[in-house]
Structures are given as C-alpha cells and as structure tokens.
Amino acid sequence: MSSELPAASAGGPPRVAPPRRVLIPAVGPRLKILMWCLFGVLALLGANSVYLSSVTVLDWSTGIDHKNWFYLWMILIHLGVGLLLVVPFLAFLAIHLLNTRLRKNRRAVRVGYALMIGSLVLLFSGLLLFRVPGLFDLKNPTARSVTYWLHVISPIACVWLYVLHRLAGKRIQWRLGVGYAGAVAVVVGGMLMMHNQDPRKWYQVGPASGEKYFSPSLARTATGGFIPAKALMNDDYCLKCHQDAYKGWFHSSHHLSSFNNPAYLASVRETREVSLKRDGNVQASRWCAGCHDPVPFFSGAFDDPKFDDVNHPTSQAGITCTACHSITNCNSTRGNADFTIEEPEHYPFAYSENPLLQWINNQLVKAKPEVHKKTFLKDFHKSAEFCSTCHKVHLPYELTHYKEFLRGQNHYDPYLLSGVSGHGARSFYYPEKAAKNCADCHMPLQPSKDFGAQFFAGAEKASIHNHMFPGANTGLAWLKEAGDAEKVHTDFLKGKLRVDIFGVRDGGGIDGELHAPLRPDVPELEPGKAYLLETVIRTLKMGHLFTQGTADSNEVWMDVTVTSNGTVIGRNGGISAESEVDPWSHFVNVFMLDKDGNRIDRRNPQDIFVPLYNNQIPPGAGQTVHYGLQLPEQLDGPVTVEVKLQYRKFDKPYMDFVTKNAKPGDKPIRGYEPGKPYLNTLPVITLAEDRVTFPVKGVTTAAENPKVEFPLWQRWNDYGIGLLLKGRAELRQAEQAFLEVEKLKRFDGPLNLGRVYFQEGRLDDATAAVIRAAAFTEPAAPPWTLAWLSGLVNLQQGRLKEAEQNFRKVLEDRTPEMEKRGFDFSKDYEVINLLGQTLFEQAKQLRDVSRKSDKDKLLNAAAEQFQKTLALDSENVTAHYQLQLLYAALGNAEKSAEHRALHAKYKPDDNARDRAFALARQKYPAANHAAEAVVIYPLHRDGAPGLAAQPAALNTGKTAQNGGVR
C-alpha cells in the first residue's frame, strides 16, 4: 500500500493534510501502575475508615464504648497508610492534571477539578488532625472540630465526585466496586459483632474477691489482682505531652505522699512496726497505703515486712499521674481509698524504649486522643466525691483494735453541708456562686502549652488546672527545698481568713460591759484595771473545716502581743528558744488522745481514741477567742494590741519524732544534723492579723488606728457566730451581738437570734425572730435557711404538717436564683433526716388500728428519707438509729436488726472517753484549760515565751470565768 499523499485534482493545487494533534493519554502505562497501586491503598484505607466510622456510630447509638486495643491498631494503620499515600497521591494528581487540563470533555475536567479539591481537603485535614508540634498543632477546639468533620465528610464527597468524573468518560466497572463494598460490609459487620460481644468496660467496680489483698483499705483493682509497678510509674510518659501538669504535680503533696515524705515515713514506719509486733504482719498499715502508697501497694510490694522504704523503686513514687487517673470508679464516699483502680490500656508502643516507636505512639495519641482521654480523665475525676475517696477517713478495728469505726479527718462532708458547695441550707454565709467541686479552689487555671490545654470559659489563653494542688503544706515544700512550691502554697493562703480585735470588756470576764466594735471609737483604758479582749477569727474563702487534714499536727495558733511605749506587757502565742509554741495559746486544732490520755502527737493513727477538744472552724463562720488583760499600775504610753493568726505545718513534738526516728541511709532532713538537737525551723506563715492602739487614762499621747475595711454589721455578726458555736455557755452574749446586727438593718440579726432562741428552748421568741427575718427585702434572708429554721421550731412545737412543708421546701424548691447560683439543697442530709423524723412523728400520732394503712404509709415515707441520707452518707448515725426504730414499727425485724448493728458500729463510744479525759487533764494543764466551756487565755503567765517576768500582782489577777489567770 502506498504511503504517499493523494495527488491533487487535475488543474488544482496539491492537497496538504493538516498535522494531527498528539493525543496524550489521561492515564498512561506508567501512571496506570501508580493509579492501580493508589486504588489498592485507597481500598485498604477506605475499608479501614468504614470500620473506624462504624465503631464510632456504634458507640453513639448504644452509649457504650467499643474502642479496644484492635481499634487503636486500626487507627495507627489509618495514620500510617494515610501518610504513605500523601506524596504518591499528589504526584498522581499533578501528572493527571497536566495530561487532561486541555481535554475537550470539559464536563469531565470540571468534575475532575472538584474531585481534586475534595481530595486535597481530605489529605490536608488529615494532616492537620495529625498534629506535629512546632510544625502544625491545631489546638483550638472549634477549628479542630471543623477539621475533623471535613475529614469525615470529604471522602463521601470524593466518592460521589469520582463517580460523576467517570460517568463523563469511559464506562465504569460497577461489578468491581459493588464487590469491594460488599466485602467491606461483611468484614466490618463481623468485626462490629465481635466488638459488641466484648465492649470496653469503663467505670468498673472491682470484684469483692480482691479485698483480701488490700483490706483494711477499701481500695480494689478492676481484676481483683495486683497491677504491675511499671504501669503505675510511667510518669515520664505523661511528661512528654503534659509538661506543665507534670511540673506542678512534681512538687505537689500528692507526689510526696509516700515514703519520699520524711514526715509520713516516720509515722508509717511506726504503724508498720506496731502492726508487725501486734499482729505478726504489716497488713493493718494497708489502711495508710491505699491513699499514700499506691505503687508498692497495688503492685504487691507493700506487704513485705522487710520492704525497703527508701531504696525500693516503688517507695519514692508517691501518688503518680497514673495512680490517680487510672481510677475507674468511686465506689462510695466512705473514704479510706474506696475506689477501683485498673491497669490502663495504652496505645501501641507506650512502653517501648525505641525512640521511633515512642514517636509513633505520641503521634497516635495526639491524632486520636479520645480513647486516651476517656481512659485517664473520667467525669468523676472532676467531682468532690472523687476527692472524698482519700480526703475522708475512718479508723477500722484492724488498725486500732478498739472499735470497728472511728471518724478521722473529713474534708468531704463539711464541704457538702456548707454554703460554699451550695448544698448546705443552714450556713451563715453564702457565696455568689457555689463551688461545684474541690478543684474550683485547689486546681486553679493556669495558662499552658500542654497538649491537653483547653480554652476554658473566662480564660484568655489555653489553660490547664494546676496540678500542684495549692493548699497549706508549706512544711513539706520547705523540707524538700522547693521554694517555688512553698511560695505557691503561701500565696494560696492569703485572704482565706480574717482576724478582728472586735471589742474589750471591763473587769476581765465575759459578763463585763462590752465596748465594741473597736474602731472608729476606741475606749480609754485605765492603768491597774482588768479587761477582756474579744477577738474573732473568721473563715472567708474555705469550703471545709479549718484546719482539716492532719488537724492534730497542723499548728495554727493565735499570737497576741500587748505593748506600751515599746515594752511588752502582755504575751500569748510566742515561740520558745526551743522552737515550741506557747502551749497556753489558742490553737485552731484537734487535741486528739489515745486511750491512756496521751496526746496523738506523731501521726500515730493506730492509737487514736477520742478528742479532748475540737477547735476547728466551719466554712463561712467565726470563732471568738477571749484574752485576759491586766494592765500595770503605771503606764507612760498608749497600749497596742497586735494579734496574728499563725500557721506552721508541723509542730515541734511531731518534728522531734520525725528527726529522732530517722535511720542510717535515709535521705537527709533539711535542718537536721544527726546527734544534735533539732530546732523546728519550718516556715511560720501569718494567715491574718489585726492591730489596735488604746489611749490610756492619764497619758496624753494620742492613739491612732486605721479604718476597718469590712462592714460593721458583719463584725457584729461574726462575733455573735463565734459565741453561738461555743454552745450554751455564751448564748446570752451571742444574743446581744445579733440584736446589734438587727439594729443595723440586716436579716442576719433576727435569723441568727432564731438559732440562739431555739438552742435556749425559747420557741416563741424563735418564731418571732424568724418572722422578723422573713420581712427583710434589701437584702432578703435566704428562703432555704428560713424554711429550715421554721421547720425546727414547728417540729419542736408539734406542728408536724407545717414542719413537713418547711423541710420539703428546703429540699425540693428550685428557684431561678438557686439555679443561677448553682444551689441545690436536696443533698443536705441533715434536713433530710429532719423530714424523716417529722414523718415518723406523724406516724406515731396514728394510734387507731383503723389507721394502720395510713401509719405504714408514713413509716415507709420516713424510711425512704433516711435511706436518701445513707445514699449520701452511709455511716450516718442518726439515719441508722431512726431506721432501726422505723423497721421495728413496720414489723421488719431483719432490717431493724441490721440498722441496730450499724448504729452501734458508727455511734461514738461516750463511756470510754471519761478515763482518757481524766488522764489527759492531769498530763496537759494547758489543753485542759482550752477544753473548758468558757476559756480565757492568759496574757501574763509567768514564763510565757516573749514575756519578761511579771509583777506578782499581774500573775495573780483574777479573771471572772475560769478561776484566775494561769
């Protein structure tokens, strides 16, 4: 066949054929290889994505978490394959775009452009979710959420666009796609069925069979067995993403809770030694370990009597990040470590020592943090109930060999029943908004670049909660030479309390004429006369009793100095040359005794028996402290009184015990040199102070005093509250104070007068006071407190229906104001008990046999109320006592016997304390004095630290109510 061009027609010019356009195939042979490789990878990634999405949908639809170890591996595959896909996919897009951009099939080209854009959105949204610190690290929750949904939706858009793209070109091989989709559906469906058979178990309560390893601690593990120490000590793993949280935790009392705390080390050693000698094992000390020593405890090392408490790897761990965040359930609010802890399920390569595998693990956590977050941060971690598991304790028989139950420290219930929590209806003061948990105070927000930092409401920058847990342990921070931590704790204490030199009484007794409040007017004092200084301590920003925790060794005291013209003429609360605080000071503490009347002074819980006195102050309340002042006959200048509320974490007897019991090989204790006397040089923090200068008769020098910054009515009210809380001894003085508050047009006056009159049994006066309080409108009295007090009076007067209505109003009302302020008084179990008692009293009035049905209905209703109390406080003595009576009346002997036994277990042993009191009063004259109903502290005691020898006239001067100055 000729290849020549056809000849031109006769007579015309020769014909020339036009040049052909070289057609470049859309997908050439080499590009086709890349395309099919991409199809294979995309098929794998698509199946993986369908599986991941299906698990998420399954979680949403069932409310159960099905993410497990296999799911995490599938996430890792998704990330790995997705990253491997990026470069070849972009290369394919670029080549394919160059090959097809000029094609005549413009519809296919336009859809192709849209498909390319969708593919790029898919790729780059995945990269943004991957998070590479220093390169791109998307933290903003809104932006991250938008990116996530783009990554979820864009594949669906891409599939749809691909179909449109292909419909504009060659015929689609539908059979291949349908087969692929069917295979994926079958495989994923089968995997979901397997997931549904064994969903991830969150919030587990450990089996009772595991108690034998941990009793008398109430802690359990999720499996009932031990947890490997390495799983609880992986703090460096947390450090990689949570640097700021780690730094705070490192200097926290939580980290220094165990044998790495020299004070705790001395005490727990004694408990272990006593237990081993008495019981033949150290199991009684497990009571300490559940909260203080989780790593050796849950790994099984703690039970070894020869456990090396200094050099064993677990001994210095404290409460680790994992020990706290691996708790999977709060079993109750009984305390004593009543929680369940599990070995956490980590992402792949968490324990690997290979840097590359560790990097892969880190990126996997950052790219898909949901499972990690759910594993280590559960809803209850943010609750006060979570804190109660360790910050509320009782002492069991296994520890004390005395009673089955003795109440120890308890932060939780005073918080729950306070106005601060918004759950206590009987408080003296209420905040503008309730503190919903302990973290509101003890984990303040701090700006942070941690991986887990969030944009909390009101925070300008991404923040975390401070994991130093600022509180009051300045002593431990000082012993560990952690100056920054000491400052954080010191700063935290500022503004939490207030001291007020409120007034002065003539004659030195509580019945003398009161001159108050001091400032702006200050009375002129006369030389040679006796006076009573009236001072008030007030808790301001505190949600629990002050002081709580180790209240027997916490050293909080009033330091009073009286001077005239530079000479000290009165002193109480000084520190001796041996670093011991004057024992005749007013201490805000608990003076705890053992059965032989010895003070519990070395954190020896196995010996705790009964308190001689309890000077703790409730949240939002006052404490009135009296000082006897006898002025010298000769004075040449005004008299200045300075009062400081001082705090030192550990007192001298305790630090003497800690240092004397240090063993060779122990870590050095700051300030202690073996063989030399130890001086307690722990920092003394001034929590609050006040100062007043009095003019003196016959002295011309003027007395100047600064203005008092808080309201006059509040000073009277705080003074009255302090007197009211002393009991019946000073109710008359409290009445006088609250009458002054009423004169100043505050509802607090008549409302608190109602409390005074009720205690005195003056019920008609109490009724009139409540009516007057209810009439106030600017501001109005809290309706919940009015209802509670009205219910008390009505109950005592036999108006049971009215009392029931009052108590139900407290527990059931939900007003817009309450909701705005976060108040919910349905948890005030003291009021719940009162409602139960009221219903019980109503039932007792139905004596007619024909009314048995109505009576049983009331009895059951009363029992229901007391059961509500037990749901909040299972050790409530009142509820158990009333339930034993109720179930007996209902004919349920079994339940009655059950609650009779529980009442006997939880009620205080009133008879046993008499001997301990008698012995203690002989051993500790200063504490005996402080335990009296009315206490007047001496300012002229011979030998008091900081006071020169006093004239005999001052040392024998009388004070009206306690038989003379001591």
Side-chain angles (χ1 to χ4, degrees):
M1 182 179 291
S2 174
S3 61
E4 294 181 4
L5 291 171
S9 59
R15 289 181 300 170
V16 179
R20 286 187 178 180
R21 183 169 61 88
V22 178
L23 182 63
I24 300 173
V27 180
R30 293 181 179 178
L31 190 59
K32 185 173 290 188
I33 295 172
L34 177 59
M35 181 186 74
W36 283 109
C37 289
L38 288 174
F39 275 164
V41 174
L42 284 170
L44 175 63
L45 192 59
N48 170 273
S49 300
V50 171
Y51 161 76
L52 295 175
S53 301
S54 299
V55 172
T56 301
V57 171
L58 182 64
D59 289 350
W60 287 347
S61 61
T62 62
I64 301 172
D65 200 315
H66 296 82
K67 300 179 183 71
N68 56 16
W69 180 261
F70 179 78
Y71 175 87
L72 295 176
W73 271 100
M74 292 295 279
I75 287 286
L76 183 58
I77 290 170
H78 187 85
L79 293 173
V81 172
L83 286 172
L84 289 173
L85 188 67
V86 172
V87 173
F89 192 81
L90 290 175
F92 175 84
L93 283 179
I95 296 169
H96 190 54
L97 175 65
L98 287 172
N99 291 347
T100 60
R101 70 188 191 283
L102 299 177
R103 296 231 169 206
K104 292 182 178 180
N105 188 347
R106 304 314 296 171
R107 181 172 180 272
V109 172
R110 286 193 295 270
V111 175
Y113 284 148
L115 177 58
M116 180 184 69
I117 293 170
S119 301
L120 292 174
V121 169
L122 174 62
L123 285 176
F124 287 107
S125 61
L127 286 172
L128 286 173
L129 292 173
F130 190 64
R131 301 177 74 164
V132 180
L135 185 59
F136 50 84
D137 190 358
L138 193 62
K139 288 185 176 181
N140 185 286
T142 303
R144 191 166 178 81
S145 178
V146 170
T147 305
Y148 170 80
W149 283 108
L150 283 174
H151 193 65
V152 170
I153 294 169
S154 55
I156 301 171
C158 286
V159 170
W160 175 65
L161 289 169
Y162 177 75
V163 171
L164 293 179
H165 182 62
R166 288 299 309 277
L167 286 174
K170 290 184 178 181
R171 184 178 179 184
I172 299 175
Q173 298 293 326
W174 290 105
R175 186 174 60 182
L176 184 62
V178 171
Y180 165 75
V184 170
V186 170
V187 173
V188 170
M191 295 167 78
L192 291 181
M193 289 180 64
M194 295 173 65
H195 273 284
N196 218 23
Q197 294 298 315
D198 186 25
R200 178 70 189 274
K201 295 179 176 64
W202 304 98
Y203 305 100
Q204 293 188 76
V205 179
S209 60
E211 290 181 357
K212 61 180 180 291
Y213 300 118
F214 308 114
S215 177
S217 164
L218 297 179
R220 301 181 184 184
T221 60
T223 62
F226 293 119
I227 298 174
K230 73 169 187 176
L232 298 173
M233 293 178 65
N234 210 7
D235 300 320
D236 288 342
Y237 179 73
C238 308
L239 170 62
K240 290 182 294 185
C241 290
H242 303 288
Q243 292 90 346
D244 290 335
Y246 178 93
K247 289 174 185 175
W249 162 83
F250 187 81
H251 293 296
S252 72
S253 299
H254 285 166
H255 177 208
L256 302 173
S257 69
S258 189
F259 303 103
N260 54 359
N261 175 337
Y264 173 75
L265 174 63
S267 296
V268 75
R269 272 178 175 170
E270 183 187 49
T271 301
R272 287 169 66 86
E273 289 166 3
V274 168
S275 173
L276 184 61
K277 182 177 180 181
R278 184 189 66 192
D279 307 330
N281 57 58
V282 296
Q283 291 180 9
S285 61
R286 291 173 174 175
W287 176 83
C288 313
C291 288
H292 282 272
D293 316 295
V295 180
F297 185 48
F298 292 117
S299 63
F302 186 85
D303 272 2
D304 182 0
K306 297 181 181 179
F307 174 75
D308 189 337
D309 54 23
V310 174
N311 299 307
H312 194 280
T314 67
S315 68
Q316 304 300 300
I319 300 172
T320 62
C321 309
T322 308
C324 214
H325 285 280
S326 289
I327 291 174
T328 187
N329 194 70
C330 297
N331 303 336
S332 79
T333 57
R334 291 184 295 168
N336 286 22
D338 196 7
F339 54 74
T340 299
I341 187 171
E342 66 177 354
E343 179 180 354
E345 190 169 294
H346 284 286
Y347 287 50
F349 314 127
Y351 295 113
S352 174
E353 296 181 1
N354 183 294
L356 176 60
L357 295 181
Q358 272 290 319
W359 183 86
I360 291 173
N361 171 271
N362 297 344
Q363 296 312 119
L364 177 58
V365 173
K366 291 176 180 178
K368 191 68 175 178
E370 289 81 5
V371 179
H372 181 80
K373 183 176 180 180
K374 193 160 187 177
T375 300
F376 291 105
L377 185 62
K378 300 178 177 65
D379 291 341
F380 62 74
H381 280 121
K382 305 171 186 177
S383 70
E385 287 70 28
F386 175 65
C387 301
S388 80
T389 57
C390 280
H391 289 274
K392 176 180 178 179
V393 303
H394 63 267
L395 297 95
Y397 176 83
E398 294 92 331
L399 179 69
T400 63
H401 278 213
Y402 162 48
K403 269 178 106 287
E404 287 188 65
F405 177 93
L406 276 177
R407 171 59 64 215
Q409 65 162 287
N410 185 359
H411 287 87
Y412 175 71
D413 287 292
Y415 160 79
L416 181 70
L417 298 176
S418 74
V420 175
S421 71
H423 298 313
R426 298 156 295 114
S427 299
F428 295 105
Y429 295 102
Y430 287 89
E432 190 59 34
K433 195 168 183 63
K436 62 182 180 296
N437 54 36
C438 308
D440 276 3
C441 289
H442 293 285
M443 295 186 75
L445 292 177
Q446 66 175 87
S448 172
K449 295 182 179 180
D450 275 11
F451 174 72
Q454 299 179 42
F455 289 88
F456 291 94
E460 296 181 359
K461 299 180 180 180
S463 304
I464 63 168
H465 288 284
N466 190 331
H467 279 63
M468 190 183 289
F469 298 90
N473 206 330
T474 52
L476 184 53
W478 185 87
L479 287 169
K480 287 293 184 177
E481 300 187 62
D484 290 344
E486 183 184 334
K487 183 178 185 305
V488 169
H489 290 304
T490 301
D491 290 346
F492 178 79
L493 294 169
K494 292 178 180 177
K496 297 296 187 293
L497 296 111
R498 181 169 69 206
V499 171
D500 181 20
I501 304 174
F502 176 73
V504 62
R505 290 185 183 272
D506 294 335
I510 65 169
D511 293 324
E513 182 183 354
L514 175 64
H515 305 279
L518 302 177
R519 296 154 294 177
D521 297 327
V522 178
E524 184 180 68
L525 305 185
E526 294 187 38
K529 292 287 185 72
Y531 296 94
L532 187 75
L533 291 174
E534 297 284 65
T535 65
V536 180
I537 308 169
R538 162 76 190 281
T539 55
L540 296 172
K541 299 177 182 177
M542 197 162 297
H544 51 74
L545 295 171
F546 177 75
T547 173
Q548 247 300 341
T550 53
D552 45 356
S553 62
N554 288 348
E555 196 167 39
V556 183
W557 75 99
M558 288 278 273
D559 183 351
V560 183
T561 305
V562 185
T563 58
S564 180
N565 207 20
T567 301
V568 176
I569 60 173
R571 193 76 172 89
N572 183 284
I575 299 178
S576 70
E578 293 76 28
S579 74
E580 183 171 13
V581 176
D582 182 0
W584 291 86
S585 308
H586 173 73
F587 291 96
V588 184
N589 70 342
V590 178
F591 199 92
M592 189 65 70
L593 305 175
D594 67 13
K595 58 183 174 57
D596 295 318
N598 300 305
R599 184 188 170 212
I600 301 295
D601 58 3
R602 57 190 189 279
R603 301 303 303 144
N604 42 320
Q606 65 275 3
D607 300 318
I608 286 178
F609 192 66
V610 67
L612 177 64
Y613 67 74
N614 183 345
N615 279 346
Q616 296 180 104
I617 309 174
Q623 186 172 85
T624 304
V625 190
H626 310 300
Y627 289 93
L629 173 64
Q630 177 70 49
L631 292 181
E633 295 289 347
Q634 299 295 324
L635 287 171
D636 55 5
V639 171
T640 297
V641 178
E642 186 176 24
V643 175
K644 296 180 179 179
L645 183 63
Q646 306 281 55
Y647 166 70
R648 182 166 63 176
K649 174 58 185 173
F650 302 125
D651 60 16
K652 176 176 169 53
Y654 186 44
M655 288 307 299
D656 285 346
F657 164 74
V658 169
T659 52
K660 288 176 183 176
N661 285 274
K663 297 180 179 180
D666 286 0
K667 299 186 186 311
I669 299 174
R670 184 180 182 183
Y672 172 61
E673 294 183 40
K676 294 184 179 180
Y678 176 77
L679 291 178
N680 188 357
T681 52
L682 266 67
V684 174
I685 310 297
T686 298
L687 301 175
E689 58 187 317
D690 196 19
R691 179 187 180 99
V692 172
T693 298
F694 295 92
V696 173
K697 188 175 184 179
V699 175
T700 58
T701 307
E704 296 183 359
N705 291 288
K707 180 183 177 182
V708 177
E709 296 298 330
F710 54 102
L712 182 61
W713 72 265
Q714 203 172 107
R715 297 183 70 193
W716 275 109
N717 201 45
D718 292 347
Y719 176 63
I721 291 168
L723 297 168
L724 171 64
L725 293 180
K726 288 176 178 291
R728 300 185 67 85
E730 299 183 56
L731 288 180
R732 188 170 61 82
Q733 289 79 8
E735 177 187 10
Q736 294 170 349
F738 293 135
L739 285 170
E740 294 297 327
V741 177
E742 186 169 9
K743 290 177 185 177
L744 294 168
K745 310 297 184 185
R746 284 288 305 193
F747 68 80
D748 309 74
L751 188 60
N752 290 333
L753 279 170
R755 301 179 197 247
V756 170
Y757 296 146
F758 180 80
Q759 283 200 35
E760 290 183 322
R762 297 161 58 183
L763 300 182
D764 290 339
D765 289 338
T767 300
V770 171
I771 292 171
R772 296 201 307 276
F776 279 79
T777 56
E778 293 295 333
W784 47 87
T785 309
L786 284 170
W788 159 72
L789 193 52
S790 299
L792 280 182
V793 176
N794 282 327
L795 178 59
Q796 286 297 309
Q797 292 182 328
R799 295 195 290 266
L800 302 181
K801 281 293 184 182
E802 290 86 347
E804 179 187 350
Q805 291 172 1
N806 295 142
F807 297 137
R808 288 195 185 279
K809 180 177 176 60
V810 175
L811 300 170
E812 298 170 6
D813 270 10
R814 298 289 183 276
T815 66
E817 180 195 2
M818 292 168 61
E819 292 177 0
K820 180 181 177 182
R821 298 174 70 180
F823 293 169
D824 174 11
F825 302 110
S826 64
K827 291 186 177 182
D828 191 330
Y829 57 73
E830 297 289 354
V831 180
I832 295 174
N833 282 346
L834 287 168
L835 177 56
Q837 183 184 345
T838 303
L839 295 171
F840 195 4
E841 293 298 323
Q842 289 181 35
K844 290 177 184 178
Q845 292 184 345
L846 302 180
R847 298 182 179 88
D848 194 323
V849 177
S850 64
R851 301 291 303 276
K852 185 179 186 304
S853 166
D854 295 334
K855 182 175 183 177
D856 287 351
K857 185 177 179 180
L858 283 168
L859 291 173
N860 280 303
E864 182 183 347
Q865 294 303 319
F866 291 116
Q867 291 291 359
K868 287 181 182 178
T869 289
L870 295 182
L872 295 164
D873 176 22
S874 60
E875 299 147 342
N876 191 271
V877 176
T878 300
H880 285 299
Y881 176 73
Q882 294 290 346
L883 283 170
Q884 77 165 8
L885 300 177
L886 279 162
Y887 285 126
L890 286 165
N892 192 331
E894 183 179 350
K895 281 195 170 184
S896 178
E898 174 189 339
H899 288 285
R900 184 182 305 111
L902 290 169
H903 174 253
K905 174 182 178 179
Y906 296 130
K907 76 180 185 68
D909 185 358
D910 296 325
N911 296 325
R913 62 181 63 194
D914 295 342
R915 175 176 178 272
F917 279 7
L919 292 170
R921 289 179 181 278
Q922 296 174 12
K923 295 176 184 178
Y924 307 105
N928 173 47
H929 171 64
E932 296 293 337
V934 176
V935 185
I936 299 177
Y937 292 93
L939 285 167
H940 310 288
R941 185 179 64 85
D942 196 19
L947 183 67
Q950 297 289 288
L954 294 184
N955 283 317
T956 58
K958 292 183 179 180
T959 55
Q961 301 318 93
N962 70 330
V965 176
R966 304 182 185 220

